[in-house]
Structures are given as C-alpha cells and as structure tokens.
C-alpha cells in the first residue's frame, strides 16, 4: 500500500468536500492515489452528497406513521418541491419513519446513528442524496406511545402535519371527534394544550405588553390592569387548544367538544420548512457559478 499523509487526506477533503474518514478510506482503497481516491468517492456517491451539503433544503414533507399504540410525526427536507412529490423521496421518508418507530431514538442525532439493516440512517440518507441529486435533511420528529389512541392529520400532501394523543375508547364516534380536533389544530395552530402549560414568565410578559398597550390608549394603570385581566382570558382562548372555539362551531370550545368520554393528553404539529431561510439567488448568478465549477 502506498503511503499517504494527513495532508493528503486534507487535500482530498478540500477537493471533494467529503468527510475525513471517507477520504482516508478512499485513499487506503486507492493505494494513496489521489485521483483514484477522488473517483472512488464519486462512485460511492459521497462526493456528490458532500457537494450538496451547503445547499438549503427548505422543501420536503411532513409525514405521520401510526403502528398500533405508537406513532411518529416526521419532517424530512429536500431542495425542491419537484423532488418532494417524487416516489423515491416519499419512500425514503416512509423508511425513516419506520426506523424511528423501531429504534425509538431520543433525538435526530440518535435516529441518524441508528442501524438500518447494516447501515446507519445517516448513510442511507447520504446514498439517497447521491441518487436523487438534492440535499436531504432529517429535520425533526416526535414520537408518541399511548394507552388510548393516536390521531394524525397531514395537510395538502405534507405541507403540515398534526399528531394528537387521546385517552378514550377508539370507536367511530370518538374517532370522528378526534379527526375534527386534528383539523382544528391544523387551522388554529395553538401554542399550548391548556392554560396550565403557559409559563409564569410568558404570562407576565404578555400582561406587561397588554398593560402598556392599554395605558398608551390613555387609561390609568388601575383601570388598565382590570382591562388586562379580560384580555388575558382572550389570550388563553386564542392560544390554548382546549380553550379555543371550535372552528366548525364557535358556540363550543374544544374542551366541550371532547366531552367527558374523551381526553386529549398532548399534541404537536409541524409546518414544513417553517423557520428555514430559503436561499434566493439571481438565475444568471447561479448559471455563472455552475459554469465556473465546470471549468475547474
């Protein structure tokens, strides 16, 4: 085997964008030949995946999978809506969701490190990136396990997803109510389940803002504080799921809709791409970059 140094590994990394260990392995397999090692990284899809790593993956899917008493809500991102709608990407997302239910990981890093039939999820995603040709990122997930039943709702083919954990009998009547609560949650996007979940810090901050707002209207502080108490009630009605008016019938709250036989323990929802800054580039600039890259 031809000798190579740490500088060679660094040089190959800078040239291909691949990870240090991938570069070292390629150099070992190529007997220290830099050009051959680069070819090996390309053949393995590693170099291609690495080049996409700096891209912004702001499209993708929110996906839900229920297996008995367990369920996962998952967001996986890619670069374009076109890829997000493709069968290969959908299959990838489904496979990752199944793995999450099987491995029960604590977080995304643990999910990516989990074994998926002889390879990690991270490797599985890297190989899919090379095949599909876009950066793919497992962004977040939530896992529920329940003694009752779980209801999920996916909006518009994956632009948003809702997952709710209920106590109660899984009969037709309760399932219909649960479905309506899921639809309501997708529409109203509540911040909390109930008023009990609102922290003292968040409540005091809201009170201070509302008090100043009322005082700016010319009300004395004593009167402003009384007005704020009414506004806090409104704050709960707008932000706490159980206190919200049902979107299909504003004469009842969600708590009233659930009744005595059904209890909502928790909920979560993901809006696809929310909080990801989408990269916007001039088309001509992007073309120029690609042409320059081809000349290297």
């Amino acid at each position: 085997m031809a000798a190579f140094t740490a500088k060679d590994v660094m040089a190959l990394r800078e040239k291909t964008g691949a990870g240090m260990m991938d570069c070292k392995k390629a150099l070992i397999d190529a007997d220290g030949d830099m050009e051959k090692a680069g070819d090996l990284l390309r053949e393995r899809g590693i170099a291609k995946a690495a080049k996409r790593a700096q891209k912004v993956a702001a499209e993708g899917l929110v996906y839900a999978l229920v297996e008995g008493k367990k369920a996962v809500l998952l967001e996986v991102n890619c670069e374009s809506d076109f890829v997000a709608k493709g069968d290969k990407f959908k299959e990838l997302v489904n496979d990752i969701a199944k793995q999450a239910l099987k491995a029960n990981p604590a977080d995304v890093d643990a999910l990516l490190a989990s074994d998926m039939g002889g390879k990690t999820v991270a490797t599985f995603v890297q190989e899919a990136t090379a095949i599909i040709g876009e950066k793919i990122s497992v962004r977040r997930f939530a896992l529920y396990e329940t003694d009752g039943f779980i209801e999920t709702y996916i909006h518009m083919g994956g632009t948003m997803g809702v997952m709710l954990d209920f106590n109660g009998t899984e009969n037709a009547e309760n399932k219909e109510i649960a479905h309506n609560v899921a639809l309501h949650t997708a529409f109203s996007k509540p911040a909390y389940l109930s008023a009990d979940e609102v922290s003292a810090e968040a409540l005091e901050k809201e009170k201070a803002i509302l008090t100043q707002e009322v005082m700016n209207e010319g009300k004395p502080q004593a009167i402003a504080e009384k007005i704020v108490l009414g506004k806090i009630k409104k704050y709960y009605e707008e932000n706490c799921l159980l206190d919200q008016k049902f979107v299909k019938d504003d004469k009842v709250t969600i708590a009233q809709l659930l009744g005595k036989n059904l209890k909502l323990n928790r909920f979560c929802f993901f809006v696809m791409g929310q909080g990801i800054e989408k990269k916007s580039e001039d088309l001509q600039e992007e073309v120029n970059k690609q042409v320059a890259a081809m000349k290297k």
Side-chain angles (χ1 to χ4, degrees), residues 246-275:
F246 181 36
V247 68
K248 291 183 178 181
D249 181 1
D250 62 8
K251 292 182 177 61
V252 298
T253 65
I254 295 300
Q256 290 169 336
L257 179 67
L258 292 174
K260 295 180 180 179
N261 297 323
L262 200 57
K263 179 187 176 184
L264 178 57
N265 298 315
R266 51 185 170 166
F267 76 95
C268 66
F269 64 86
F270 297 156
V271 178
M272 190 276 296
Q274 187 176 46

Coordinates of all heavy atoms in Angstrom, one line a residue, residues 246-275:
F246 N -64.3 26.0 18.7 CA -64.2 25.0 17.6 C -64.4 25.7 16.3 O -65.3 26.5 16.1 CB -65.2 23.9 17.8 CG -65.2 22.8 16.8 CD1 -64.0 22.4 16.2 CD2 -66.4 22.2 16.4 CE1 -64.0 21.4 15.2 CE2 -66.4 21.2 15.5 CZ -65.2 20.8 14.9
V247 N -63.5 25.5 15.3 CA -63.5 26.2 14.1 C -64.8 26.0 13.3 O -65.2 26.8 12.5 CB -62.3 25.9 13.2 CG1 -62.3 24.4 12.8 CG2 -62.1 26.8 12.1
K248 N -65.4 24.8 13.5 CA -66.7 24.5 12.7 C -67.9 24.9 13.5 O -69.0 25.0 12.9 CB -66.7 23.0 12.5 CG -65.7 22.4 11.5 CD -66.0 21.0 11.3 CE -65.0 20.4 10.2 NZ -65.2 18.9 10.0
D249 N -67.8 25.3 14.8 CA -68.9 25.7 15.6 C -68.4 26.6 16.7 O -67.9 26.0 17.8 CB -69.7 24.5 16.1 CG -70.9 24.9 16.9 OD1 -71.2 26.1 17.1 OD2 -71.6 24.0 17.4
D250 N -68.4 27.9 16.6 CA -67.8 28.8 17.6 C -68.6 28.9 18.9 O -68.3 29.7 19.8 CB -67.5 30.1 17.0 CG -68.8 30.9 16.5 OD1 -69.9 30.4 16.8 OD2 -68.6 31.9 15.9
K251 N -69.7 28.1 19.0 CA -70.5 28.1 20.2 C -70.0 27.1 21.2 O -70.4 27.1 22.4 CB -72.0 27.8 19.9 CG -72.7 28.8 19.1 CD -74.2 28.4 18.9 CE -74.9 29.5 18.1 NZ -74.4 29.8 16.8
V252 N -69.0 26.3 20.8 CA -68.4 25.3 21.7 C -66.9 25.4 21.7 O -66.3 25.7 20.7 CB -68.8 23.8 21.4 CG1 -70.3 23.7 21.5 CG2 -68.4 23.4 20.0
T253 N -66.3 25.1 22.8 CA -64.8 25.1 22.9 C -64.4 23.7 22.6 O -65.2 22.7 22.5 CB -64.3 25.4 24.3 OG1 -64.8 24.4 25.2 CG2 -64.8 26.8 24.7
I254 N -63.1 23.5 22.4 CA -62.5 22.1 22.1 C -62.8 21.2 23.3 O -63.1 20.1 23.2 CB -61.1 22.2 21.7 CG1 -60.9 23.0 20.4 CG2 -60.4 20.8 21.6 CD1 -61.6 22.3 19.2
A255 N -62.6 21.8 24.5 CA -62.8 21.0 25.7 C -64.3 20.5 25.8 O -64.5 19.3 26.1 CB -62.6 21.9 27.0
Q256 N -65.2 21.4 25.4 CA -66.6 20.9 25.3 C -66.9 19.9 24.2 O -67.7 19.0 24.4 CB -67.5 22.2 25.1 CG -67.6 23.1 26.4 CD -68.2 24.4 26.1 OE1 -68.3 24.9 24.9 NE2 -68.7 25.1 27.1
L257 N -66.2 20.1 23.1 CA -66.3 19.1 22.0 C -65.9 17.7 22.4 O -66.5 16.7 22.1 CB -65.5 19.6 20.8 CG -65.6 18.7 19.6 CD1 -66.9 18.7 18.9 CD2 -64.5 19.2 18.6
L258 N -64.8 17.7 23.2 CA -64.3 16.4 23.7 C -65.3 15.7 24.6 O -65.4 14.5 24.7 CB -62.9 16.6 24.4 CG -61.8 17.0 23.5 CD1 -60.5 17.3 24.3 CD2 -61.4 16.0 22.4
G259 N -65.9 16.5 25.5 CA -66.9 15.9 26.4 C -66.2 15.2 27.5 O -65.1 15.3 27.8
K260 N -67.0 14.3 28.2 CA -66.5 13.5 29.3 C -65.8 12.2 29.0 O -65.0 11.7 29.8 CB -67.7 13.2 30.3 CG -68.3 14.5 30.9 CD -69.4 14.1 31.8 CE -70.1 15.4 32.4 NZ -71.2 15.0 33.3
N261 N -66.0 11.7 27.8 CA -65.5 10.4 27.5 C -64.2 10.4 26.7 O -63.6 9.4 26.4 CB -66.6 9.6 26.6 CG -67.8 9.4 27.4 OD1 -67.8 9.1 28.6 ND2 -69.0 9.5 26.8
L262 N -63.7 11.6 26.4 CA -62.5 11.7 25.6 C -61.6 12.8 26.2 O -62.1 13.9 26.4 CB -62.9 12.1 24.1 CG -61.9 11.8 23.0 CD1 -61.5 10.4 23.0 CD2 -62.4 12.2 21.7
K263 N -60.4 12.4 26.4 CA -59.4 13.4 26.9 C -58.2 13.5 26.0 O -57.7 12.5 25.5 CB -58.9 12.9 28.3 CG -57.9 13.8 29.0 CD -57.3 13.2 30.2 CE -56.2 14.1 30.8 NZ -55.6 13.5 32.0
L264 N -57.8 14.7 25.7 CA -56.6 15.0 24.9 C -55.4 15.2 25.8 O -55.4 16.1 26.7 CB -56.8 16.2 24.1 CG -55.6 16.7 23.2 CD1 -55.2 15.5 22.2 CD2 -56.0 17.9 22.4
N265 N -54.4 14.3 25.7 CA -53.2 14.3 26.6 C -52.2 15.3 26.1 O -51.6 16.0 26.9 CB -52.6 12.9 26.7 CG -53.5 11.9 27.3 OD1 -54.2 12.2 28.3 ND2 -53.6 10.8 26.7
R266 N -52.0 15.3 24.8 CA -50.9 16.2 24.2 C -51.1 16.2 22.7 O -51.8 15.4 22.1 CB -49.5 15.6 24.5 CG -49.4 14.1 24.2 CD -48.1 13.4 24.6 NE -48.1 12.0 24.4 CZ -47.1 11.2 24.5 NH1 -45.9 11.7 24.7 NH2 -47.2 9.9 24.3
F267 N -50.4 17.2 22.1 CA -50.5 17.3 20.7 C -49.2 18.0 20.2 O -48.4 18.6 20.9 CB -51.7 18.2 20.3 CG -51.4 19.7 20.5 CD1 -51.0 20.5 19.5 CD2 -51.7 20.2 21.8 CE1 -50.7 21.9 19.7 CE2 -51.4 21.6 22.0 CZ -51.0 22.4 21.0
C268 N -48.9 17.8 18.9 CA -47.8 18.5 18.3 C -48.2 18.7 16.8 O -49.0 18.0 16.2 CB -46.5 17.8 18.4 SG -46.4 16.2 17.5
F269 N -47.5 19.7 16.2 CA -47.7 19.9 14.7 C -46.4 20.5 14.2 O -45.7 21.2 14.8 CB -48.9 20.8 14.4 CG -48.8 22.2 14.9 CD1 -48.2 23.2 14.2 CD2 -49.4 22.5 16.1 CE1 -48.1 24.5 14.7 CE2 -49.3 23.8 16.6 CZ -48.7 24.8 15.9
F270 N -46.1 20.1 12.9 CA -45.0 20.6 12.2 C -45.5 21.3 10.9 O -46.4 20.7 10.2 CB -44.0 19.5 11.8 CG -43.4 18.8 12.9 CD1 -42.9 17.5 12.7 CD2 -43.2 19.4 14.1 CE1 -42.3 16.8 13.7 CE2 -42.6 18.7 15.2 CZ -42.1 17.4 15.0
V271 N -45.0 22.5 10.7 CA -45.3 23.2 9.4 C -44.0 23.0 8.6 O -42.9 23.4 9.0 CB -45.6 24.6 9.6 CG1 -45.8 25.3 8.2 CG2 -46.9 24.8 10.5
M272 N -44.1 22.4 7.4 CA -43.0 22.1 6.6 C -42.2 23.3 6.2 O -42.7 24.3 5.8 CB -43.4 21.4 5.3 CG -42.3 20.8 4.5 SD -41.5 22.0 3.4 CE -42.9 22.4 2.3
G273 N -40.9 23.3 6.5 CA -40.0 24.3 6.2 C -40.1 25.6 7.1 O -39.3 26.5 6.8
Q274 N -40.9 25.6 8.1 CA -41.1 26.7 8.9 C -39.8 27.1 9.6 O -39.2 26.2 10.3 CB -42.2 26.5 10.0 CG -42.5 27.7 10.8 CD -43.7 27.5 11.7 OE1 -43.7 26.5 12.4 NE2 -44.6 28.4 11.8
G275 N -39.3 28.3 9.5 CA -38.1 28.7 10.2 C -36.8 28.5 9.4 O -35.8 29.0 9.8

